[in-house]
Coordinates of all heavy atoms in Angstrom, one line a residue:
M1 N -17.3 18.1 -3.1 CA -16.7 17.4 -4.2 C -15.4 16.8 -3.8 O -15.0 15.7 -4.2 CB -16.5 18.4 -5.3 CG -16.0 17.8 -6.6 SD -17.2 16.6 -7.2 CE -16.5 16.1 -8.6
R2 N -14.6 17.5 -2.9 CA -13.3 17.0 -2.4 C -13.4 15.8 -1.6 O -12.7 14.9 -1.7 CB -12.6 18.1 -1.6 CG -11.2 17.7 -1.2 CD -10.5 18.8 -0.4 NE -9.1 18.5 -0.2 CZ -8.7 17.7 0.8 NH1 -9.6 17.1 1.6 NH2 -7.4 17.4 1.0
K3 N -14.6 15.7 -0.8 CA -14.7 14.5 0.0 C -15.0 13.3 -0.8 O -14.5 12.2 -0.6 CB -15.9 14.7 1.0 CG -15.5 15.5 2.2 CD -16.7 15.4 3.3 CE -16.2 16.0 4.6 NZ -17.2 15.8 5.6
V4 N -15.7 13.5 -1.9 CA -16.1 12.4 -2.7 C -14.8 11.9 -3.5 O -14.5 10.7 -3.5 CB -17.1 12.8 -3.8 CG1 -17.3 11.7 -4.9 CG2 -18.4 13.1 -3.2
F5 N -14.0 12.8 -3.9 CA -12.7 12.5 -4.6 C -11.8 11.7 -3.6 O -11.2 10.7 -3.9 CB -12.0 13.7 -5.1 CG -10.7 13.4 -5.7 CD1 -10.5 12.7 -6.9 CD2 -9.5 13.8 -5.0 CE1 -9.3 12.4 -7.4 CE2 -8.3 13.5 -5.6 CZ -8.1 12.8 -6.8
V6 N -11.6 12.2 -2.4 CA -10.8 11.6 -1.3 C -11.3 10.2 -1.0 O -10.6 9.3 -0.9 CB -10.6 12.5 -0.1 CG1 -10.0 11.8 1.0 CG2 -9.9 13.8 -0.4
L7 N -12.7 10.1 -0.8 CA -13.2 8.8 -0.5 C -12.9 7.8 -1.7 O -12.6 6.7 -1.4 CB -14.7 8.9 -0.3 CG -15.5 7.7 0.0 CD1 -15.0 7.2 1.4 CD2 -16.9 8.0 0.1
A8 N -13.1 8.2 -2.9 CA -12.8 7.4 -4.1 C -11.4 7.0 -4.1 O -11.0 5.8 -4.4 CB -13.2 8.1 -5.3
V9 N -10.4 7.9 -3.8 CA -9.1 7.5 -3.8 C -8.7 6.6 -2.7 O -8.1 5.5 -2.9 CB -8.2 8.8 -3.6 CG1 -6.7 8.5 -3.4 CG2 -8.3 9.7 -4.9
W10 N -9.2 6.7 -1.5 CA -9.0 5.9 -0.4 C -9.6 4.5 -0.7 O -9.0 3.5 -0.4 CB -9.6 6.4 0.9 CG -8.6 7.4 1.6 CD1 -8.7 8.6 1.6 CD2 -7.5 7.0 2.3 NE1 -7.6 9.2 2.3 CE2 -6.8 8.2 2.7 CE3 -6.9 5.8 2.6 CZ2 -5.7 8.2 3.5 CZ3 -5.7 5.8 3.3 CH2 -5.1 7.0 3.8
A11 N -10.8 4.5 -1.3 CA -11.4 3.2 -1.7 C -10.5 2.5 -2.7 O -10.3 1.2 -2.6 CB -12.8 3.4 -2.2
F12 N -10.0 3.1 -3.7 CA -9.1 2.5 -4.7 C -7.8 2.0 -4.1 O -7.4 0.8 -4.3 CB -8.8 3.5 -5.8 CG -7.9 3.0 -6.8 CD1 -8.3 2.0 -7.7 CD2 -6.6 3.4 -6.9 CE1 -7.4 1.4 -8.7 CE2 -5.7 2.9 -7.9 CZ -6.1 1.9 -8.7
I13 N -7.2 2.9 -3.2 CA -6.0 2.4 -2.5 C -6.2 1.3 -1.7 O -5.4 0.3 -1.6 CB -5.4 3.6 -1.8 CG1 -4.8 4.6 -2.8 CG2 -4.2 3.1 -0.9 CD1 -4.4 5.9 -2.1
S14 N -7.3 1.2 -0.9 CA -7.7 0.1 -0.1 C -7.8 -1.2 -0.8 O -7.3 -2.3 -0.4 CB -8.9 0.4 0.8 OG -8.7 1.5 1.6
L15 N -8.5 -1.1 -2.0 CA -8.7 -2.3 -2.8 C -7.3 -2.8 -3.3 O -7.1 -4.0 -3.3 CB -9.6 -2.0 -4.0 CG -9.9 -3.1 -4.9 CD1 -10.7 -4.1 -4.2 CD2 -10.7 -2.5 -6.1
C16 N -6.4 -1.9 -3.7 CA -5.1 -2.2 -4.2 C -4.3 -2.9 -3.0 O -3.6 -3.9 -3.3 CB -4.3 -1.0 -4.7 SG -5.0 -0.4 -6.2
V17 N -4.4 -2.5 -1.9 CA -3.7 -3.0 -0.8 C -4.1 -4.4 -0.5 O -3.3 -5.4 -0.3 CB -3.8 -2.1 0.5 CG1 -3.3 -2.8 1.7 CG2 -3.0 -0.8 0.3
V18 N -5.4 -4.6 -0.4 CA -6.0 -5.9 -0.2 C -5.6 -6.9 -1.3 O -5.2 -8.0 -1.0 CB -7.5 -5.9 -0.1 CG1 -8.2 -7.3 -0.1 CG2 -7.9 -5.1 1.2
A19 N -5.6 -6.4 -2.5 CA -5.2 -7.2 -3.6 C -3.7 -7.6 -3.5 O -3.3 -8.7 -3.8 CB -5.4 -6.5 -5.0
I20 N -2.8 -6.6 -3.2 CA -1.4 -6.9 -3.1 C -1.1 -7.9 -2.0 O -0.3 -8.8 -2.1 CB -0.7 -5.6 -2.8 CG1 -0.6 -4.7 -4.1 CG2 0.8 -5.9 -2.3 CD1 0.0 -3.3 -3.9
I21 N -1.9 -7.8 -0.9 CA -1.6 -8.7 0.2 C -2.1 -10.1 0.0 O -1.4 -11.1 0.4 CB -2.2 -8.1 1.5 CG1 -1.5 -6.8 1.9 CG2 -2.2 -9.1 2.6 CD1 -2.2 -6.0 3.0
T22 N -3.3 -10.2 -0.6 CA -3.9 -11.5 -0.6 C -3.8 -12.4 -1.9 O -4.0 -13.6 -1.9 CB -5.5 -11.4 -0.3 OG1 -6.1 -10.6 -1.3 CG2 -5.6 -10.9 1.0
L23 N -3.5 -11.7 -2.9 CA -3.3 -12.5 -4.2 C -2.1 -13.4 -4.2 O -1.0 -13.0 -3.8 CB -3.2 -11.6 -5.4 CG -4.5 -10.8 -5.9 CD1 -4.2 -9.8 -7.0 CD2 -5.6 -11.8 -6.2
P24 N -2.3 -14.7 -4.6 CA -1.1 -15.6 -4.7 C -0.2 -15.3 -5.9 O -0.6 -15.5 -7.0 CB -1.7 -16.9 -4.8 CG -3.1 -16.7 -5.5 CD -3.5 -15.3 -5.1
V25 N 0.9 -14.7 -5.6 CA 1.9 -14.4 -6.6 C 3.2 -15.0 -6.2 O 3.5 -15.3 -5.1 CB 2.0 -12.8 -6.8 CG1 0.7 -12.3 -7.4 CG2 2.3 -12.1 -5.5
N26 N 4.1 -15.0 -7.2 CA 5.4 -15.5 -6.9 C 6.4 -14.5 -6.3 O 6.0 -13.4 -6.1 CB 6.0 -16.1 -8.2 CG 6.3 -15.1 -9.3 OD1 6.1 -13.9 -9.0 ND2 6.6 -15.5 -10.5
L27 N 7.5 -14.9 -5.9 CA 8.4 -14.1 -5.2 C 8.9 -12.9 -6.0 O 9.1 -11.8 -5.5 CB 9.7 -14.9 -4.8 CG 10.6 -14.3 -3.8 CD1 9.9 -13.9 -2.5 CD2 11.8 -15.2 -3.5
Q28 N 9.1 -13.1 -7.3 CA 9.5 -12.0 -8.2 C 8.4 -10.8 -8.2 O 8.7 -9.7 -8.1 CB 9.8 -12.4 -9.6 CG 10.3 -11.4 -10.5 CD 10.6 -11.9 -11.9 OE1 10.3 -13.0 -12.2 NE2 11.2 -11.0 -12.7
T29 N 7.2 -11.2 -8.3 CA 6.1 -10.3 -8.3 C 6.0 -9.6 -7.0 O 5.8 -8.3 -6.9 CB 4.7 -11.0 -8.7 OG1 4.9 -11.7 -9.9 CG2 3.7 -10.0 -8.8
Q30 N 6.2 -10.3 -5.9 CA 6.3 -9.7 -4.6 C 7.4 -8.6 -4.5 O 7.2 -7.5 -4.0 CB 6.5 -10.7 -3.5 CG 5.3 -11.6 -3.2 CD 5.6 -12.6 -2.2 OE1 6.3 -12.4 -1.2 NE2 5.1 -13.9 -2.4
L31 N 8.5 -8.9 -5.0 CA 9.7 -8.1 -5.0 C 9.3 -6.8 -5.8 O 9.6 -5.7 -5.4 CB 10.9 -8.7 -5.6 CG 12.1 -7.8 -5.6 CD1 12.6 -7.3 -4.3 CD2 13.3 -8.5 -6.4
I32 N 8.7 -7.0 -7.0 CA 8.4 -5.8 -7.8 C 7.3 -4.9 -7.1 O 7.4 -3.7 -7.1 CB 7.9 -6.3 -9.2 CG1 9.0 -6.9 -10.0 CG2 7.2 -5.1 -10.0 CD1 8.6 -7.6 -11.3
A33 N 6.3 -5.6 -6.5 CA 5.3 -4.8 -5.8 C 5.9 -4.0 -4.6 O 5.6 -2.9 -4.4 CB 4.2 -5.8 -5.3
S34 N 6.8 -4.6 -3.9 CA 7.5 -4.0 -2.8 C 8.2 -2.9 -3.3 O 8.2 -1.7 -2.6 CB 8.3 -5.0 -2.0 OG 7.6 -6.0 -1.5
L35 N 9.1 -3.0 -4.3 CA 9.8 -1.9 -4.9 C 8.9 -0.8 -5.4 O 9.3 0.4 -5.2 CB 10.7 -2.4 -6.0 CG 11.9 -3.2 -5.6 CD1 12.7 -3.8 -6.8 CD2 12.8 -2.5 -4.6
L36 N 7.9 -1.1 -6.0 CA 6.9 -0.1 -6.5 C 6.3 0.7 -5.3 O 6.2 1.9 -5.3 CB 5.7 -0.7 -7.3 CG 4.7 0.1 -7.8 CD1 5.3 1.1 -8.9 CD2 3.6 -0.6 -8.4
I37 N 5.9 0.1 -4.2 CA 5.4 0.7 -3.0 C 6.4 1.6 -2.4 O 6.1 2.8 -2.0 CB 4.8 -0.4 -2.0 CG1 3.6 -1.1 -2.6 CG2 4.5 0.3 -0.8 CD1 3.1 -2.2 -1.7
V38 N 7.6 1.2 -2.3 CA 8.7 2.0 -1.7 C 9.0 3.2 -2.6 O 9.2 4.3 -2.0 CB 9.9 1.1 -1.4 CG1 11.1 2.0 -1.0 CG2 9.7 0.1 -0.3
T39 N 8.9 3.0 -3.9 CA 9.2 4.1 -4.8 C 8.1 5.1 -4.7 O 8.3 6.3 -4.6 CB 9.3 3.5 -6.2 OG1 10.3 2.6 -6.3 CG2 9.5 4.7 -7.2
L40 N 6.8 4.6 -4.6 CA 5.7 5.5 -4.5 C 5.7 6.3 -3.1 O 5.4 7.5 -3.1 CB 4.4 4.8 -4.6 CG 4.0 4.3 -6.0 CD1 2.8 3.4 -6.0 CD2 3.8 5.5 -6.9
M41 N 6.1 5.6 -2.1 CA 6.3 6.2 -0.8 C 7.4 7.4 -0.9 O 7.2 8.5 -0.3 CB 6.7 5.3 0.3 CG 5.6 4.3 0.7 SD 6.1 3.0 1.8 CE 6.6 3.8 3.1
A42 N 8.4 7.1 -1.6 CA 9.5 8.2 -1.8 C 9.0 9.4 -2.6 O 9.3 10.5 -2.2 CB 10.8 7.5 -2.4
I43 N 8.3 9.0 -3.7 CA 7.7 10.1 -4.5 C 6.7 11.0 -3.7 O 6.8 12.2 -3.8 CB 7.1 9.5 -5.7 CG1 8.1 9.0 -6.7 CG2 6.2 10.6 -6.5 CD1 7.6 8.1 -7.8
I44 N 5.9 10.4 -2.9 CA 4.9 11.1 -2.1 C 5.6 12.0 -1.1 O 5.3 13.1 -0.9 CB 3.9 10.1 -1.3 CG1 3.0 9.5 -2.4 CG2 3.2 10.8 -0.3 CD1 2.2 8.3 -1.8
K45 N 6.8 11.5 -0.5 CA 7.5 12.2 0.4 C 8.1 13.5 -0.3 O 8.2 14.5 0.3 CB 8.7 11.4 1.0 CG 9.5 12.1 1.9 CD 9.4 11.6 3.3 CE 10.4 12.3 4.2 NZ 9.8 13.1 5.3
L46 N 8.6 13.3 -1.5 CA 9.3 14.3 -2.3 C 8.3 15.4 -2.6 O 8.6 16.6 -2.7 CB 10.0 13.8 -3.5 CG 11.3 13.0 -3.2 CD1 11.8 12.4 -4.5 CD2 12.3 13.9 -2.5
V47 N 7.1 15.1 -3.0 CA 6.1 16.1 -3.5 C 5.2 16.6 -2.4 O 4.2 17.2 -2.8 CB 5.3 15.5 -4.7 CG1 6.2 15.2 -5.9 CG2 4.5 14.3 -4.4
D48 N 5.5 16.2 -1.2 CA 4.7 16.6 -0.1 C 4.5 18.1 -0.1 O 5.5 18.9 0.1 CB 5.3 16.1 1.3 CG 4.3 16.3 2.4 OD1 3.2 16.8 2.2 OD2 4.7 15.9 3.5
A49 N 3.2 18.6 -0.2 CA 3.0 20.1 -0.3 C 2.9 20.8 1.0 O 3.0 22.0 1.0 CB 1.7 20.3 -1.1
G50 N 2.7 20.1 2.1 CA 2.6 20.7 3.4 C 1.2 21.2 3.6 O 0.3 21.0 2.8
G51 N 0.9 21.6 4.8 CA -0.5 22.1 5.1 C -1.4 21.0 5.4 O -1.0 19.9 5.9
E52 N -2.6 21.1 4.9 CA -3.7 20.1 5.0 C -3.3 18.8 4.2 O -3.6 17.7 4.6 CB -5.0 20.6 4.6 CG -6.1 19.6 4.9 CD -7.5 20.2 4.5 OE1 -7.7 21.5 4.7 OE2 -8.3 19.5 4.1
V53 N -2.7 19.0 3.1 CA -2.3 17.9 2.2 C -1.2 17.0 2.8 O -1.1 15.8 2.6 CB -1.8 18.4 0.8 CG1 -1.4 17.3 -0.1 CG2 -2.9 19.3 0.2
A54 N -0.4 17.6 3.7 CA 0.7 16.8 4.4 C 0.2 15.7 5.2 O 0.8 14.6 5.2 CB 1.5 17.8 5.3
L55 N -1.0 15.9 5.9 CA -1.6 14.8 6.6 C -2.0 13.7 5.7 O -1.8 12.4 6.0 CB -2.7 15.3 7.4 CG -3.4 14.3 8.4 CD1 -2.3 13.8 9.4 CD2 -4.5 15.0 9.1
D56 N -2.6 13.9 4.6 CA -3.0 12.9 3.6 C -1.8 12.2 3.1 O -1.8 11.0 2.9 CB -3.8 13.5 2.5 CG -5.2 14.0 2.9 OD1 -5.7 13.5 3.9 OD2 -5.7 14.9 2.3
C57 N -0.7 13.0 2.8 CA 0.5 12.4 2.3 C 1.1 11.4 3.3 O 1.6 10.3 3.0 CB 1.6 13.4 1.8 SG 1.0 14.3 0.4
A58 N 1.1 11.9 4.6 CA 1.7 11.0 5.6 C 0.9 9.8 5.8 O 1.5 8.7 6.0 CB 1.8 11.8 6.9
R59 N -0.4 9.9 5.6 CA -1.2 8.7 5.8 C -1.0 7.7 4.6 O -1.0 6.5 4.8 CB -2.8 9.1 5.8 CG -3.1 9.7 7.1 CD -4.6 10.2 7.1 NE -5.0 10.8 8.3 CZ -6.0 11.5 8.5 NH1 -6.8 11.8 7.4 NH2 -6.3 12.1 9.6
L60 N -0.8 8.3 3.4 CA -0.6 7.4 2.2 C 0.8 6.7 2.4 O 0.9 5.5 2.1 CB -0.6 8.2 1.0 CG -1.9 8.6 0.4 CD1 -1.7 9.5 -0.8 CD2 -2.7 7.4 0.1
R61 N 1.8 7.4 2.9 CA 3.2 6.8 3.1 C 3.0 5.7 4.2 O 3.5 4.6 4.0 CB 4.1 7.8 3.5 CG 4.6 8.7 2.5 CD 5.9 9.5 2.8 NE 5.8 10.0 4.2 CZ 5.4 11.2 4.5 NH1 5.0 12.0 3.6 NH2 5.5 11.6 5.7
N62 N 2.3 6.0 5.2 CA 2.2 5.0 6.3 C 1.3 3.8 5.9 O 1.6 2.7 6.2 CB 1.6 5.6 7.6 CG 2.4 6.7 8.2 OD1 3.6 6.6 8.1 ND2 1.8 7.5 9.1
G63 N 0.3 4.0 5.0 CA -0.4 3.0 4.5 C 0.4 2.1 3.6 O 0.3 0.8 3.6
G64 N 1.3 2.6 2.8 CA 2.2 1.8 2.0 C 3.1 1.0 2.8 O 3.3 -0.2 2.5
G65 N 3.7 1.6 3.8 CA 4.5 0.8 4.7 C 3.8 -0.3 5.4 O 4.3 -1.4 5.6
A66 N 2.6 0.0 5.8 CA 1.8 -1.0 6.5 C 1.4 -2.1 5.6 O 1.4 -3.3 5.9 CB 0.5 -0.4 7.1
A67 N 1.2 -1.8 4.3 CA 0.9 -2.8 3.3 C 2.1 -3.8 3.1 O 1.9 -5.0 3.0 CB 0.5 -2.2 2.0
L68 N 3.3 -3.2 3.1 CA 4.4 -4.1 3.0 C 4.6 -5.0 4.2 O 4.9 -6.2 4.0 CB 5.7 -3.2 2.8 CG 5.9 -2.5 1.5 CD1 7.2 -1.7 1.5 CD2 6.1 -3.6 0.4
C69 N 4.3 -4.4 5.4 CA 4.4 -5.3 6.6 C 3.4 -6.4 6.5 O 3.7 -7.5 6.9 CB 4.3 -4.4 7.8 SG 5.7 -3.3 8.1
L70 N 2.2 -6.1 6.1 CA 1.1 -7.0 6.1 C 1.4 -8.1 5.0 O 1.1 -9.3 5.2 CB -0.2 -6.4 5.8 CG -0.8 -5.6 7.0 CD1 -2.0 -4.8 6.5 CD2 -1.1 -6.5 8.1
L71 N 2.0 -7.6 3.9 CA 2.3 -8.6 2.8 C 3.3 -9.6 3.3 O 3.1 -10.8 3.2 CB 3.0 -7.8 1.6 CG 3.5 -8.7 0.5 CD1 2.3 -9.5 -0.2 CD2 4.2 -7.8 -0.5
A72 N 4.4 -9.1 4.0 CA 5.4 -10.0 4.5 C 4.8 -11.0 5.6 O 5.1 -12.2 5.6 CB 6.6 -9.3 5.1
H73 N 4.0 -10.4 6.4 CA 3.4 -11.2 7.5 C 2.4 -12.3 6.9 O 2.4 -13.4 7.3 CB 2.6 -10.4 8.5 CG 2.1 -11.1 9.7 ND1 2.9 -11.7 10.6 CD2 0.8 -11.3 10.1 CE1 2.1 -12.2 11.5 NE2 0.9 -12.0 11.2
Y74 N 1.6 -11.9 6.0 CA 0.6 -12.8 5.3 C 1.4 -13.9 4.6 O 1.0 -15.1 4.7 CB -0.3 -12.0 4.4 CG -1.3 -12.8 3.7 CD1 -2.5 -13.2 4.4 CD2 -1.2 -13.3 2.4 CE1 -3.5 -13.9 3.8 CE2 -2.1 -14.1 1.8 CZ -3.2 -14.4 2.5 OH -4.2 -15.2 1.9
R75 N 2.4 -13.5 3.9 CA 3.2 -14.6 3.2 C 3.8 -15.6 4.1 O 3.9 -16.8 3.8 CB 4.2 -14.0 2.2 CG 3.7 -13.1 1.2 CD 2.9 -13.9 0.1 NE 2.3 -12.9 -0.8 CZ 1.1 -13.0 -1.3 NH1 0.4 -14.0 -1.0 NH2 0.6 -12.2 -2.2
N76 N 4.4 -15.1 5.2 CA 5.0 -15.9 6.2 C 4.0 -16.9 6.8 O 4.3 -18.1 6.9 CB 5.6 -15.1 7.3 CG 6.6 -15.9 8.1 OD1 7.0 -17.0 7.7 ND2 6.9 -15.4 9.3
I77 N 2.8 -16.4 7.1 CA 1.8 -17.3 7.7 C 1.4 -18.3 6.7 O 1.2 -19.5 7.0 CB 0.7 -16.4 8.3 CG1 1.1 -15.7 9.5 CG2 -0.6 -17.3 8.5 CD1 0.0 -14.7 10.0
A78 N 1.1 -17.8 5.5 CA 0.6 -18.7 4.4 C 1.6 -19.8 4.1 O 1.3 -20.9 3.8 CB 0.2 -17.9 3.2
A79 N 2.9 -19.5 4.2 CA 3.9 -20.5 3.8 C 4.1 -21.5 4.8 O 4.6 -22.6 4.6 CB 5.3 -19.7 3.6
H80 N 3.7 -21.2 6.1 CA 3.9 -22.2 7.2 C 2.7 -22.9 7.6 O 2.7 -23.5 8.7 CB 4.6 -21.5 8.4 CG 6.0 -21.0 8.0 ND1 6.3 -19.8 7.6 CD2 7.2 -21.7 8.0 CE1 7.6 -19.7 7.3 NE2 8.2 -20.9 7.6
Q81 N 1.6 -22.7 6.8 CA 0.4 -23.5 7.2 C 0.5 -24.9 6.8 O 0.9 -25.2 5.7 CB -0.8 -22.8 6.5 CG -1.2 -21.5 7.0 CD -1.7 -21.5 8.5 OE1 -2.4 -22.5 8.8 NE2 -1.4 -20.5 9.2
P82 N 0.0 -25.9 7.6 CA 0.0 -27.2 7.2 C -0.9 -27.5 6.1 O -2.0 -26.9 5.9 CB -0.4 -28.0 8.4 CG -1.1 -27.0 9.3 CD -0.6 -25.6 8.9
A83 N -0.6 -28.4 5.2 CA -1.4 -28.7 4.0 C -2.6 -29.5 4.3 O -2.8 -30.1 5.3 CB -0.6 -29.4 3.0

């Protein structure tokens, strides 16, 4: 049962990351999404339970940071593509 739950959570998070990175949104929405991701990363760090859960928490934090990097990179590439 735990594997199904973890798989469902990872699938949902992956879908959210892809949506955050690829959806065309304005600069204010990007800022809000970035602040939300950084806030969630901080909350995950604060409630880190240790043990086996610590690895999952670290992966979630790293995934959030990677999403921010991919968002910035994708926006930079998209902004400099010839029309």
Side-chain angles (χ1 to χ4, degrees):
M1 185 66 180
R2 183 180 187 279
K3 277 190 171 186
V4 173
F5 177 71
V6 170
L7 182 63
V9 168
W10 275 103
F12 177 72
I13 291 172
S14 298
L15 182 66
C16 290
V17 167
V18 169
I20 287 171
I21 292 170
T22 59
L23 288 176
V25 294
N26 63 12
L27 190 59
Q28 182 180 8
T29 306
Q30 290 179 34
L31 178 64
I32 292 170
S34 297
L35 290 174
L36 179 65
I37 290 171
V38 170
T39 303
L40 288 174
M41 288 170 64
I43 291 171
I44 290 170
K45 176 113 175 120
L46 289 175
V47 297
D48 192 359
E52 187 177 323
V53 179
L55 185 58
D56 291 334
C57 289
R59 287 179 180 161
L60 286 173
R61 285 193 320 267
N62 291 340
L68 282 177
C69 292
L70 288 172
L71 173 65
H73 185 66
Y74 181 81
R75 297 294 177 217
N76 191 19
I77 289 173
H80 292 95
Q81 290 294 324

